[in-house]
Amino acid sequence: MKRIRPMTSFGRFPLTIDQLSAGSAEPVLVVDFIDFSTARQLSQTLGNRTEDNPVYCLDPVSDLARDSAYWPLDALAEGYADLWLKSGPAGPRLTVVGYCSAAALSWTIAARLADQVATRLLLVQPTWPDAQFVSTSFGELRANLGGEPSAAPELAADPDQALRQMQRLLRDDLHLMAERAGMDPTSPTLDELMDRYRAWLSFVLAGSAARARPMPTRPRPTILVTADAEPCVPDAGLLTYDIVRHSVPPEAPTGETGLADAVLAHTWQNPARPISSSAPTTQST
């Protein structure tokens, strides 16, 4: 996958924020991931599509791959928000964009920033990991390594302990796969794969553990979904949000410019520019 070389980076181990593009308008902070596929990240496409808004990105899964500790969602959000306020660009306004399963983390980061910066929150095709999502992800990772599919350990009581149990099983699967392929089980490449798998499970565990609590009441998010999709939001507390539907096909990769343009239309620079002829829908749950 071709990646934009960051213009600048700032961080405090293991958390980092990269700047992907420059501009004189209000900054855009994108929370997304390097996928296990070859698809371009949404943040990269945004950085290529705008000459006005400086685009920054944070990838919690890549950051968690550098630290074996389990990070609850609140700890991640507090760390990134503090990093932005201390090291990011100064300015009165900011747009936070959360893609897919980064929705809960993005919302929590935006809530922490909103007290000091006028923050616009845009959730793009959001999903909210739950226990079934974690279990399915764990089974898929085991299958990737040739292991026997199995449900995830009990998650509710201790996510940290559940992560350690899943990591032990995945490491056993990885060693067996290496033996079958005649590979060195201590290869740095296999260690990197294991770190990536553990980081992904750590992230979705944190999202699942936080799912039952009410989401912040501010900032009020705009949810960007495809024309025929129903927005995915957690059934917790009273949530009020705006829905904007776009015409990008649901199977289109995140690198499609149409999706990036739909996002940019709702940054601070273009607060009134509509995506389509229909007005945003206001809903609450």
Side-chain angles (χ1 to χ4, degrees), residues 107 214-217 234-241 283-285:
W107 201 335
M215 294 304 295
T217 57
D235 298 325
L238 181 63
L239 304 179
T240 304
Y241 48 89
Q283 292 191 6
S284 61
T285 65

Side-chain angles (χ1 to χ4, degrees), residues 69-276:
Y70 168 74
W71 285 61
L73 193 77
D74 283 337
L76 275 175
E78 182 177 358
Y80 284 121
D82 183 64
L83 183 58
W84 179 267
L85 293 173
K86 290 182 177 179
S87 304
R93 299 191 298 187
L94 168 69
T95 298
V96 175
V97 179
Y99 176 67
C100 195
S101 51
L105 176 61
S106 306
W107 201 335
T108 311
I109 291 172
R112 280 163 168 73
L113 293 173
D115 289 336
Q116 301 190 46
V117 182
T119 303
R120 171 164 294 183
L121 175 61
L122 182 60
L123 303 180
V124 182
Q125 297 169 190
T127 61
W128 306 84
D130 56 11
Q132 183 58 52
F133 187 98
V134 175
S135 185
T136 299
S137 295
F138 177 59
E140 290 174 348
L141 295 181
R142 293 204 71 186
N144 289 347
L145 299 175
E148 291 294 330
S150 62
E154 176 61 37
L155 308 180
D158 189 346
D160 186 16
Q161 182 62 28
L163 178 63
R164 293 177 186 276
Q165 293 178 28
M166 289 188 285
Q167 185 176 358
R168 283 194 293 269
L169 290 170
L170 287 172
R171 191 167 294 282
D172 289 344
D173 292 339
L174 187 66
H175 285 174
L176 289 174
M177 183 195 75
E179 290 177 1
R180 290 192 298 267
M183 301 173 63
D184 180 1
T186 63
S187 164
T189 300
L190 296 182
D191 286 341
E192 291 175 4
L193 180 63
M194 185 68 231
D195 289 341
R196 185 74 186 172
Y197 281 8
R198 173 189 48 75
W200 172 248
L201 290 172
S202 178
F203 179 72
V204 296
L205 269 168
S208 176
R211 182 183 174 95
R213 71 177 188 206
M215 294 304 295
T217 57
R218 56 185 294 265
R220 175 193 183 109
T222 294
I223 297 180
L224 183 62
V225 294
T226 54
D228 58 349
E230 289 301 319
C232 178
V233 294
D235 298 325
L238 181 63
L239 304 179
T240 304
Y241 48 89
D242 297 319
I243 301 171
V244 176
R245 303 184 185 279
H246 64 84
S247 59
V248 179
E251 68 275 8
T254 59
E256 289 288 339
T257 57
L259 180 57
D261 289 343
V263 171
L264 290 170
H266 286 270
T267 65
W268 277 108
Q269 183 188 351
N270 298 299
R273 177 180 165 194
I275 291 291
S276 65

